[in-house]
Amino acid sequence: MFLGMTFLVASAMFLQNCKNGVKKGCGETKISKSGEKESHNNGKNCMTCHVESGDGDGCFVVAGSAYKSDKSSPASSGSIKLYTEANGGGTLKHTIQIDQNGNFYTTENIDMTGLFPSIDLGGNVQHMSTQPGTGACNSCHGVTTEKLWGTN
């Protein structure tokens, strides 16, 4: 009887922990792709959930949302490019595609130190002239700075 109750309690604790977001780990690969619609929560800070202690699948290193020129409709294509110099200068180190929901994300091992982001939305290219402190783009854009937007 005691052994049976112990098993039931342990099982209930395990299920409760899984339900509350105990993660599978950060080893899951998640990379946005043009044309896909697997992302969600456009405009929210992706790194609220997609981190080691969060409920989202995969630990994002760079993630955010992009908008059309009206700044309210999600962009449906484009890319984020990470360069070694400001204003699209130097060497292009990484390209992250924007999906059909207007989101971009990657779990790739990217060291943001010394990188400058650019966004290309249908030929409308905008550059950050400073290095971001984080790859959590929506932690600033749409909160304390302007949303990422373009013409598509």
Side-chain angles (χ1 to χ4, degrees), residues 45-133:
N45 180 359
C46 310
M47 266 77 145
T48 300
C49 295
H50 293 274
V51 293
E52 190 170 1
S53 61
D55 291 336
D57 291 334
C59 294
F60 293 170
V61 176
V62 178
S65 304
Y67 297 87
K68 294 180 180 180
S69 58
D70 65 6
K71 299 181 187 174
S72 62
S73 303
S76 58
S77 64
S79 63
I80 303 299
K81 296 182 179 187
L82 302 173
Y83 291 92
T84 57
E85 295 178 16
N87 301 315
T91 304
L92 173 63
K93 298 297 274 185
H94 303 279
T95 300
I96 306 165
Q97 296 175 0
I98 297 169
D99 70 13
Q100 205 165 356
N101 292 330
N103 295 318
F104 56 91
Y105 53 89
T106 185
T107 58
E108 293 175 287
N109 187 18
I110 297 174
D111 180 0
M112 291 295 291
T113 306
L115 296 180
F116 296 83
S118 294
I119 184 168
D120 183 346
L121 299 173
N124 178 2
V125 179
Q126 298 180 48
H127 306 284
M128 275 187 74
S129 58
T130 59
Q131 296 175 352

